Structures are given as structure tokens and as C-alpha cells.
Short mmCIF file of all heavy atoms in Angstrom, two decimals:
data_model
loop_
_atom_site.label_atom_id
_atom_site.label_comp_id
_atom_site.label_asym_id
_atom_site.label_seq_id
_atom_site.Cartn_x
_atom_site.Cartn_y
_atom_site.Cartn_z
N MET A 1 95.98 81.12 108.86
CA MET A 1 95.40 80.62 107.63
C MET A 1 95.07 81.77 106.68
O MET A 1 95.39 81.72 105.51
CB MET A 1 94.14 79.80 107.97
CG MET A 1 93.50 79.19 106.79
SD MET A 1 94.53 77.83 106.22
CE MET A 1 93.48 77.10 105.05
N ILE A 2 94.42 82.81 107.20
CA ILE A 2 94.05 83.95 106.35
C ILE A 2 95.30 84.70 105.91
O ILE A 2 95.40 85.12 104.75
CB ILE A 2 93.08 84.88 107.10
CG1 ILE A 2 91.75 84.16 107.31
CG2 ILE A 2 92.86 86.17 106.33
CD1 ILE A 2 90.77 84.93 108.15
N ILE A 3 96.27 84.86 106.82
CA ILE A 3 97.49 85.57 106.48
C ILE A 3 98.27 84.81 105.41
O ILE A 3 98.83 85.41 104.49
CB ILE A 3 98.33 85.82 107.74
CG1 ILE A 3 97.59 86.78 108.66
CG2 ILE A 3 99.70 86.36 107.39
CD1 ILE A 3 98.24 87.03 109.97
N ALA A 4 98.30 83.50 105.50
CA ALA A 4 98.98 82.69 104.49
C ALA A 4 98.31 82.85 103.13
O ALA A 4 98.98 82.96 102.11
CB ALA A 4 99.01 81.23 104.91
N ALA A 5 96.99 82.89 103.11
CA ALA A 5 96.27 83.07 101.85
C ALA A 5 96.55 84.44 101.26
O ALA A 5 96.69 84.59 100.05
CB ALA A 5 94.77 82.88 102.07
N LEU A 6 96.64 85.47 102.11
CA LEU A 6 96.96 86.81 101.62
C LEU A 6 98.38 86.87 101.07
O LEU A 6 98.64 87.57 100.08
CB LEU A 6 96.78 87.84 102.73
CG LEU A 6 95.34 88.15 103.12
CD1 LEU A 6 95.32 89.10 104.31
CD2 LEU A 6 94.59 88.75 101.94
N CYS A 7 99.31 86.18 101.71
CA CYS A 7 100.69 86.16 101.21
C CYS A 7 100.76 85.48 99.85
O CYS A 7 101.47 85.95 98.95
CB CYS A 7 101.60 85.47 102.20
SG CYS A 7 101.95 86.45 103.66
N PHE A 8 100.06 84.38 99.68
CA PHE A 8 100.09 83.68 98.40
C PHE A 8 99.27 84.42 97.34
O PHE A 8 99.59 84.35 96.16
CB PHE A 8 99.57 82.25 98.56
CG PHE A 8 100.52 81.35 99.28
CD1 PHE A 8 100.13 80.69 100.43
CD2 PHE A 8 101.81 81.17 98.82
CE1 PHE A 8 101.00 79.86 101.10
CE2 PHE A 8 102.70 80.35 99.49
CZ PHE A 8 102.29 79.69 100.63
N GLY A 9 98.25 85.15 97.73
CA GLY A 9 97.43 85.88 96.78
C GLY A 9 97.93 87.27 96.47
O GLY A 9 97.30 88.01 95.73
N ARG A 10 99.08 87.62 97.02
CA ARG A 10 99.64 88.96 96.82
C ARG A 10 99.86 89.28 95.35
O ARG A 10 99.65 90.42 94.92
CB ARG A 10 100.95 89.06 97.60
CG ARG A 10 101.63 90.36 97.49
CD ARG A 10 102.89 90.44 98.32
NE ARG A 10 103.41 89.13 98.65
CZ ARG A 10 104.40 88.92 99.49
NH1 ARG A 10 104.96 89.93 100.08
NH2 ARG A 10 104.83 87.71 99.74
N ALA A 11 100.26 88.30 94.55
CA ALA A 11 100.52 88.54 93.13
C ALA A 11 99.25 88.93 92.38
O ALA A 11 99.33 89.59 91.34
CB ALA A 11 101.13 87.29 92.50
N ILE A 12 98.11 88.56 92.89
CA ILE A 12 96.84 88.91 92.25
C ILE A 12 96.19 90.11 92.93
O ILE A 12 95.63 90.98 92.26
CB ILE A 12 95.88 87.70 92.28
CG1 ILE A 12 96.45 86.59 91.41
CG2 ILE A 12 94.50 88.09 91.82
CD1 ILE A 12 95.67 85.31 91.48
N LEU A 13 96.29 90.19 94.24
CA LEU A 13 95.57 91.23 94.98
C LEU A 13 96.16 92.63 94.79
O LEU A 13 95.42 93.60 94.71
CB LEU A 13 95.52 90.87 96.47
CG LEU A 13 94.69 89.65 96.81
CD1 LEU A 13 94.80 89.35 98.29
CD2 LEU A 13 93.25 89.85 96.41
N ILE A 14 97.47 92.75 94.71
CA ILE A 14 98.08 94.08 94.55
C ILE A 14 97.72 94.70 93.21
O ILE A 14 97.27 95.86 93.17
CB ILE A 14 99.60 94.02 94.79
CG1 ILE A 14 99.86 93.75 96.28
CG2 ILE A 14 100.28 95.32 94.37
CD1 ILE A 14 101.32 93.57 96.63
N PRO A 15 97.88 94.01 92.08
CA PRO A 15 97.46 94.62 90.81
C PRO A 15 95.95 94.90 90.76
O PRO A 15 95.52 95.91 90.19
CB PRO A 15 97.84 93.59 89.75
CG PRO A 15 98.89 92.78 90.37
CD PRO A 15 98.59 92.76 91.84
N LEU A 16 95.17 94.04 91.38
CA LEU A 16 93.72 94.27 91.42
C LEU A 16 93.39 95.52 92.21
O LEU A 16 92.55 96.34 91.79
CB LEU A 16 93.02 93.04 92.02
CG LEU A 16 91.51 93.02 91.94
CD1 LEU A 16 91.06 93.00 90.50
CD2 LEU A 16 90.99 91.81 92.68
N ALA A 17 94.05 95.72 93.33
CA ALA A 17 93.83 96.92 94.14
C ALA A 17 94.28 98.18 93.40
O ALA A 17 93.61 99.22 93.44
CB ALA A 17 94.56 96.80 95.47
N LEU A 18 95.41 98.10 92.70
CA LEU A 18 95.88 99.26 91.92
C LEU A 18 94.93 99.58 90.78
O LEU A 18 94.67 100.76 90.48
CB LEU A 18 97.29 99.00 91.39
CG LEU A 18 98.41 99.07 92.41
CD1 LEU A 18 99.73 98.65 91.79
CD2 LEU A 18 98.51 100.45 93.00
N ALA A 19 94.40 98.57 90.12
CA ALA A 19 93.45 98.79 89.04
C ALA A 19 92.17 99.44 89.57
O ALA A 19 91.62 100.36 88.95
CB ALA A 19 93.13 97.48 88.34
N LEU A 20 91.72 98.99 90.71
CA LEU A 20 90.53 99.58 91.33
C LEU A 20 90.78 101.04 91.70
O LEU A 20 89.94 101.91 91.44
CB LEU A 20 90.13 98.76 92.56
CG LEU A 20 88.79 99.06 93.18
CD1 LEU A 20 87.67 98.70 92.22
CD2 LEU A 20 88.63 98.28 94.47
N LEU A 21 91.93 101.33 92.27
CA LEU A 21 92.28 102.70 92.64
C LEU A 21 92.37 103.59 91.40
O LEU A 21 91.83 104.71 91.39
CB LEU A 21 93.61 102.71 93.39
CG LEU A 21 94.12 104.06 93.82
CD1 LEU A 21 93.21 104.66 94.87
CD2 LEU A 21 95.54 103.95 94.35
N LEU A 22 93.01 103.11 90.35
CA LEU A 22 93.09 103.90 89.11
C LEU A 22 91.72 104.12 88.50
O LEU A 22 91.44 105.19 87.95
CB LEU A 22 94.00 103.21 88.09
CG LEU A 22 95.49 103.44 88.26
CD1 LEU A 22 96.27 102.61 87.26
CD2 LEU A 22 95.84 104.90 88.14
N GLY A 23 90.86 103.14 88.61
CA GLY A 23 89.50 103.30 88.09
C GLY A 23 88.75 104.39 88.82
O GLY A 23 88.08 105.22 88.19
N PHE A 24 88.89 104.44 90.15
CA PHE A 24 88.22 105.49 90.92
C PHE A 24 88.81 106.86 90.63
O PHE A 24 88.10 107.86 90.58
CB PHE A 24 88.32 105.21 92.42
CG PHE A 24 87.30 104.23 92.91
CD1 PHE A 24 87.68 103.07 93.55
CD2 PHE A 24 85.94 104.47 92.74
CE1 PHE A 24 86.75 102.16 94.01
CE2 PHE A 24 84.99 103.58 93.20
CZ PHE A 24 85.40 102.42 93.82
N VAL A 25 90.11 106.93 90.45
CA VAL A 25 90.78 108.23 90.23
C VAL A 25 90.50 108.77 88.83
O VAL A 25 90.28 109.97 88.65
CB VAL A 25 92.30 108.08 90.48
CG1 VAL A 25 93.05 109.32 90.03
CG2 VAL A 25 92.56 107.83 91.95
N LEU A 26 90.50 107.89 87.83
CA LEU A 26 90.39 108.35 86.45
C LEU A 26 88.96 108.45 85.93
O LEU A 26 88.72 109.09 84.91
CB LEU A 26 91.21 107.43 85.53
CG LEU A 26 92.71 107.40 85.81
CD1 LEU A 26 93.39 106.45 84.86
CD2 LEU A 26 93.31 108.78 85.73
N HIS A 27 88.01 107.84 86.62
CA HIS A 27 86.63 107.87 86.14
C HIS A 27 86.06 109.28 86.01
O HIS A 27 85.39 109.59 85.01
CB HIS A 27 85.73 107.02 87.03
CG HIS A 27 84.31 107.01 86.57
ND1 HIS A 27 83.37 107.88 87.05
CD2 HIS A 27 83.68 106.26 85.63
CE1 HIS A 27 82.22 107.67 86.45
NE2 HIS A 27 82.38 106.68 85.59
N PRO A 28 86.29 110.20 86.97
CA PRO A 28 85.75 111.55 86.79
C PRO A 28 86.30 112.27 85.56
O PRO A 28 85.58 113.03 84.90
CB PRO A 28 86.16 112.28 88.07
CG PRO A 28 86.37 111.22 89.07
CD PRO A 28 86.86 110.03 88.31
N ARG A 29 87.55 112.00 85.23
CA ARG A 29 88.13 112.63 84.03
C ARG A 29 87.48 112.09 82.77
O ARG A 29 87.17 112.84 81.85
CB ARG A 29 89.64 112.40 83.98
CG ARG A 29 90.42 113.35 84.84
CD ARG A 29 90.73 112.72 86.13
NE ARG A 29 91.50 113.61 87.00
CZ ARG A 29 91.32 113.63 88.29
NH1 ARG A 29 90.42 112.88 88.86
NH2 ARG A 29 92.05 114.41 89.04
N VAL A 30 87.28 110.79 82.73
CA VAL A 30 86.62 110.18 81.56
C VAL A 30 85.18 110.67 81.45
O VAL A 30 84.70 111.01 80.36
CB VAL A 30 86.69 108.64 81.65
CG1 VAL A 30 85.85 107.99 80.57
CG2 VAL A 30 88.12 108.16 81.55
N ALA A 31 84.49 110.75 82.57
CA ALA A 31 83.10 111.22 82.56
C ALA A 31 83.02 112.67 82.10
O ALA A 31 82.11 113.04 81.35
CB ALA A 31 82.49 111.08 83.95
N GLY A 32 83.99 113.49 82.51
CA GLY A 32 84.01 114.88 82.06
C GLY A 32 84.23 114.99 80.56
O GLY A 32 83.59 115.81 79.89
N LEU A 33 85.11 114.18 80.02
CA LEU A 33 85.33 114.20 78.57
C LEU A 33 84.12 113.68 77.81
O LEU A 33 83.80 114.15 76.72
CB LEU A 33 86.58 113.39 78.21
CG LEU A 33 87.91 114.03 78.61
CD1 LEU A 33 89.06 113.08 78.31
CD2 LEU A 33 88.12 115.35 77.90
N LYS A 34 83.43 112.69 78.40
CA LYS A 34 82.20 112.20 77.77
C LYS A 34 81.12 113.28 77.76
O LYS A 34 80.38 113.42 76.79
CB LYS A 34 81.67 110.96 78.50
CG LYS A 34 82.36 109.68 78.08
CD LYS A 34 81.78 108.49 78.79
CE LYS A 34 80.33 108.34 78.43
NZ LYS A 34 79.69 107.17 79.05
N ARG A 35 81.05 114.08 78.84
CA ARG A 35 80.08 115.17 78.89
C ARG A 35 80.38 116.22 77.83
O ARG A 35 79.48 116.92 77.36
CB ARG A 35 80.09 115.82 80.28
CG ARG A 35 78.82 115.59 81.04
CD ARG A 35 78.82 116.29 82.37
NE ARG A 35 79.52 115.45 83.35
CZ ARG A 35 80.56 115.81 84.08
NH1 ARG A 35 81.03 117.02 83.99
NH2 ARG A 35 81.11 114.98 84.92
N LEU A 36 81.65 116.36 77.47
CA LEU A 36 82.03 117.32 76.43
C LEU A 36 81.73 116.81 75.02
O LEU A 36 81.90 117.53 74.06
CB LEU A 36 83.52 117.66 76.54
CG LEU A 36 83.92 118.47 77.76
CD1 LEU A 36 85.44 118.64 77.80
CD2 LEU A 36 83.24 119.82 77.75
N GLY A 37 81.30 115.55 74.93
CA GLY A 37 80.89 115.03 73.64
C GLY A 37 81.78 113.96 73.05
O GLY A 37 81.52 113.48 71.95
N LEU A 38 82.85 113.56 73.74
CA LEU A 38 83.71 112.50 73.22
C LEU A 38 83.06 111.15 73.45
O LEU A 38 82.31 110.95 74.40
CB LEU A 38 85.06 112.53 73.93
CG LEU A 38 86.20 113.28 73.25
CD1 LEU A 38 85.95 114.75 73.34
CD2 LEU A 38 87.51 112.91 73.84
N LEU A 39 83.37 110.23 72.58
CA LEU A 39 82.94 108.85 72.77
C LEU A 39 83.74 108.23 73.91
O LEU A 39 84.82 108.72 74.26
CB LEU A 39 83.15 108.05 71.50
CG LEU A 39 82.33 108.48 70.28
CD1 LEU A 39 82.75 107.68 69.06
CD2 LEU A 39 80.86 108.32 70.55
N LEU A 40 83.23 107.16 74.48
CA LEU A 40 83.88 106.52 75.62
C LEU A 40 85.29 106.07 75.26
O LEU A 40 86.24 106.31 76.01
CB LEU A 40 83.05 105.33 76.11
CG LEU A 40 83.65 104.54 77.26
CD1 LEU A 40 83.78 105.41 78.50
CD2 LEU A 40 82.83 103.31 77.54
N LEU A 41 85.45 105.44 74.11
CA LEU A 41 86.77 104.96 73.70
C LEU A 41 87.75 106.12 73.55
O LEU A 41 88.91 106.03 73.98
CB LEU A 41 86.67 104.16 72.40
CG LEU A 41 87.97 103.58 71.86
CD1 LEU A 41 88.54 102.58 72.86
CD2 LEU A 41 87.75 102.93 70.52
N ALA A 42 87.31 107.20 72.94
CA ALA A 42 88.18 108.36 72.77
C ALA A 42 88.53 108.99 74.11
O ALA A 42 89.68 109.38 74.35
CB ALA A 42 87.51 109.39 71.88
N ALA A 43 87.57 109.08 75.01
CA ALA A 43 87.82 109.67 76.34
C ALA A 43 88.82 108.83 77.12
O ALA A 43 89.75 109.36 77.74
CB ALA A 43 86.52 109.81 77.10
N VAL A 44 88.65 107.52 77.10
CA VAL A 44 89.57 106.63 77.81
C VAL A 44 90.96 106.71 77.19
O VAL A 44 91.97 106.76 77.90
CB VAL A 44 89.04 105.18 77.80
CG1 VAL A 44 90.10 104.21 78.30
CG2 VAL A 44 87.78 105.08 78.63
N THR A 45 91.03 106.77 75.87
CA THR A 45 92.32 106.87 75.19
C THR A 45 93.04 108.15 75.57
O THR A 45 94.25 108.13 75.85
CB THR A 45 92.12 106.79 73.66
OG1 THR A 45 91.45 105.57 73.34
CG2 THR A 45 93.44 106.85 72.94
N VAL A 46 92.34 109.27 75.60
CA VAL A 46 92.95 110.54 75.97
C VAL A 46 93.46 110.50 77.41
O VAL A 46 94.59 110.89 77.70
CB VAL A 46 91.94 111.70 75.77
CG1 VAL A 46 92.43 112.98 76.43
CG2 VAL A 46 91.68 111.93 74.30
N VAL A 47 92.65 110.00 78.32
CA VAL A 47 93.03 109.98 79.74
C VAL A 47 94.22 109.05 79.97
O VAL A 47 95.18 109.41 80.66
CB VAL A 47 91.82 109.59 80.62
CG1 VAL A 47 92.26 109.31 82.04
CG2 VAL A 47 90.78 110.68 80.59
N VAL A 48 94.19 107.88 79.37
CA VAL A 48 95.30 106.92 79.57
C VAL A 48 96.57 107.44 78.91
O VAL A 48 97.67 107.31 79.48
CB VAL A 48 94.90 105.53 79.04
CG1 VAL A 48 96.10 104.59 79.00
CG2 VAL A 48 93.81 104.93 79.89
N THR A 49 96.46 108.07 77.75
CA THR A 49 97.63 108.63 77.08
C THR A 49 98.25 109.74 77.92
O THR A 49 99.48 109.80 78.07
CB THR A 49 97.25 109.17 75.69
OG1 THR A 49 96.69 108.10 74.92
CG2 THR A 49 98.45 109.74 74.97
N LEU A 50 97.42 110.61 78.49
CA LEU A 50 97.94 111.66 79.36
C LEU A 50 98.57 111.08 80.62
O LEU A 50 99.60 111.58 81.10
CB LEU A 50 96.83 112.65 79.71
CG LEU A 50 96.38 113.56 78.58
CD1 LEU A 50 95.18 114.40 79.01
CD2 LEU A 50 97.50 114.45 78.11
N LEU A 51 97.98 110.04 81.16
CA LEU A 51 98.53 109.40 82.36
C LEU A 51 99.91 108.80 82.05
O LEU A 51 100.87 109.02 82.79
CB LEU A 51 97.59 108.32 82.88
CG LEU A 51 98.11 107.51 84.06
CD1 LEU A 51 98.16 108.38 85.32
CD2 LEU A 51 97.24 106.30 84.29
N ILE A 52 100.01 108.06 80.97
CA ILE A 52 101.28 107.45 80.60
C ILE A 52 102.31 108.53 80.29
O ILE A 52 103.47 108.42 80.69
CB ILE A 52 101.10 106.48 79.42
CG1 ILE A 52 100.29 105.26 79.87
CG2 ILE A 52 102.44 106.03 78.85
CD1 ILE A 52 99.88 104.33 78.75
N GLY A 53 101.90 109.58 79.59
CA GLY A 53 102.81 110.68 79.30
C GLY A 53 103.32 111.35 80.56
O GLY A 53 104.50 111.71 80.67
N GLY A 54 102.44 111.53 81.54
CA GLY A 54 102.87 112.13 82.80
C GLY A 54 103.85 111.25 83.56
O GLY A 54 104.82 111.75 84.14
N VAL A 55 103.61 109.95 83.55
CA VAL A 55 104.52 109.03 84.23
C VAL A 55 105.88 109.02 83.53
O VAL A 55 106.93 109.05 84.19
CB VAL A 55 103.91 107.61 84.29
CG1 VAL A 55 104.94 106.59 84.74
CG2 VAL A 55 102.71 107.59 85.20
N VAL A 56 105.88 109.02 82.21
CA VAL A 56 107.14 109.04 81.46
C VAL A 56 107.88 110.36 81.70
O VAL A 56 109.09 110.37 81.93
CB VAL A 56 106.89 108.81 79.95
CG1 VAL A 56 108.13 109.11 79.13
CG2 VAL A 56 106.43 107.38 79.72
N LEU A 57 107.16 111.47 81.68
CA LEU A 57 107.78 112.76 81.93
C LEU A 57 108.39 112.84 83.32
O LEU A 57 109.51 113.33 83.51
CB LEU A 57 106.76 113.89 81.73
CG LEU A 57 107.28 115.31 81.92
CD1 LEU A 57 108.33 115.64 80.88
CD2 LEU A 57 106.13 116.29 81.84
N ALA A 58 107.66 112.34 84.32
CA ALA A 58 108.19 112.32 85.69
C ALA A 58 109.43 111.43 85.78
O ALA A 58 110.41 111.79 86.43
CB ALA A 58 107.12 111.83 86.66
N GLY A 59 109.40 110.29 85.11
CA GLY A 59 110.57 109.39 85.12
C GLY A 59 111.78 110.00 84.46
O GLY A 59 112.90 109.91 84.97
N VAL A 60 111.57 110.65 83.32
CA VAL A 60 112.69 111.30 82.62
C VAL A 60 113.25 112.44 83.46
O VAL A 60 114.46 112.60 83.59
CB VAL A 60 112.23 111.80 81.23
CG1 VAL A 60 113.27 112.72 80.61
CG2 VAL A 60 111.96 110.61 80.32
N THR A 61 112.37 113.24 84.05
CA THR A 61 112.81 114.36 84.88
C THR A 61 113.59 113.87 86.09
O THR A 61 114.67 114.39 86.40
CB THR A 61 111.61 115.20 85.33
OG1 THR A 61 110.91 115.65 84.17
CG2 THR A 61 112.05 116.39 86.15
N LEU A 62 113.06 112.87 86.79
CA LEU A 62 113.76 112.34 87.95
C LEU A 62 115.07 111.67 87.55
O LEU A 62 116.07 111.80 88.25
CB LEU A 62 112.87 111.36 88.70
CG LEU A 62 111.72 111.98 89.48
CD1 LEU A 62 110.84 110.88 90.06
CD2 LEU A 62 112.23 112.88 90.57
N GLY A 63 115.07 110.97 86.43
CA GLY A 63 116.30 110.34 85.95
C GLY A 63 117.37 111.37 85.62
O GLY A 63 118.55 111.18 85.91
N HIS A 64 116.94 112.48 85.02
CA HIS A 64 117.88 113.54 84.68
C HIS A 64 118.43 114.19 85.95
O HIS A 64 119.62 114.52 86.04
CB HIS A 64 117.20 114.58 83.79
CG HIS A 64 118.12 115.67 83.33
ND1 HIS A 64 119.24 115.43 82.59
CD2 HIS A 64 118.07 117.01 83.54
CE1 HIS A 64 119.86 116.57 82.35
NE2 HIS A 64 119.16 117.55 82.91
N LEU A 65 117.56 114.40 86.94
CA LEU A 65 118.01 115.00 88.19
C LEU A 65 118.96 114.09 88.96
O LEU A 65 119.92 114.56 89.57
CB LEU A 65 116.80 115.35 89.07
CG LEU A 65 115.95 116.51 88.61
CD1 LEU A 65 114.72 116.63 89.49
CD2 LEU A 65 116.74 117.81 88.62
N VAL A 66 118.73 112.80 88.92
CA VAL A 66 119.58 111.86 89.63
C VAL A 66 120.92 111.71 88.92
O VAL A 66 121.96 111.60 89.57
CB VAL A 66 118.88 110.48 89.76
CG1 VAL A 66 119.83 109.42 90.24
CG2 VAL A 66 117.70 110.61 90.71
N SER A 67 120.90 111.74 87.61
CA SER A 67 122.15 111.53 86.86
C SER A 67 123.07 112.74 86.92
O SER A 67 124.27 112.61 86.73
CB SER A 67 121.86 111.16 85.40
OG SER A 67 121.29 112.29 84.74
N SER A 68 122.54 113.94 87.16
CA SER A 68 123.40 115.13 87.24
C SER A 68 123.02 115.95 88.46
O SER A 68 122.41 117.00 88.35
CB SER A 68 123.23 115.96 85.97
OG SER A 68 121.89 116.34 85.81
N PRO A 69 123.40 115.50 89.66
CA PRO A 69 122.99 116.19 90.88
C PRO A 69 123.72 117.51 91.12
O PRO A 69 123.25 118.34 91.89
CB PRO A 69 123.34 115.18 91.98
CG PRO A 69 124.43 114.36 91.42
CD PRO A 69 124.17 114.30 89.94
N ASN A 70 124.86 117.75 90.48
CA ASN A 70 125.64 118.95 90.74
C ASN A 70 125.14 120.16 89.96
O ASN A 70 125.56 121.28 90.25
CB ASN A 70 127.11 118.71 90.42
CG ASN A 70 127.72 117.69 91.38
OD1 ASN A 70 127.24 117.54 92.49
ND2 ASN A 70 128.75 117.01 90.94
N GLN A 71 124.34 119.97 88.97
CA GLN A 71 123.94 121.11 88.12
C GLN A 71 122.72 121.78 88.62
O GLN A 71 121.77 121.42 89.02
CB GLN A 71 123.74 120.63 86.69
CG GLN A 71 125.04 120.15 86.08
CD GLN A 71 124.82 119.63 84.67
OE1 GLN A 71 123.70 119.55 84.19
NE2 GLN A 71 125.89 119.28 84.02
#
């Protein structure tokens, strides 16, 4: 019964767990920027922008490496 509920709730539980994990990982960075004098919205914007930029950069780099393995 519990396993069936977990299987059906997977669509909700996985994103919720990832959001919780990202919250724990990114909170110290946001708090550090707030200590430097940034507003909460600005600190969150900077951290999320850097995170998205890092993910895009990693994707482009890996895509380039996969598309040209001989070089």
C-alpha cells in the first residue's frame, strides 16, 4: 500500500525533494549576499542566475565535447 502510494506520488515527491535540496544548498549563498547588504530579492536573483548560467555552461561544454570527441 505504501509502495503503491510512493509510485503514484513520484511526480510530486521528486520535484519537491529537489526543491528542498536546492533550498538547503543555496541558502548559505543567499544569506552571505544579504550580509553584504543586498536585498533578499537581489540576492536570490544573483544566486539563481549564477546557478542557471553554470548549468548552461556545463551543458554547452559537455555538448561540445560529445559532438567532437576526436579533437
Side-chain angles (χ1 to χ4, degrees):
M1 183 72 171
I2 293 175
I3 293 176
L6 288 175
C7 286
F8 288 123
R10 180 177 20 188
I12 294 174
L13 293 176
I14 290 176
L16 189 63
L18 286 174
L20 191 65
L21 179 67
L22 278 175
F24 278 122
V25 170
L26 298 179
H27 181 267
R29 279 97 179 144
V30 172
L33 289 175
K34 278 182 62 178
R35 248 183 276 124
L36 291 175
L38 264 72
L39 296 175
L40 178 63
L41 181 62
V44 170
T45 303
V46 167
V47 169
V48 170
T49 301
L50 288 174
L51 176 70
I52 292 172
V55 169
V56 168
L57 181 64
V60 168
T61 302
L62 288 174
H64 183 60
L65 289 174
V66 168
S67 68
S68 58
N70 294 334
Q71 295 178 355

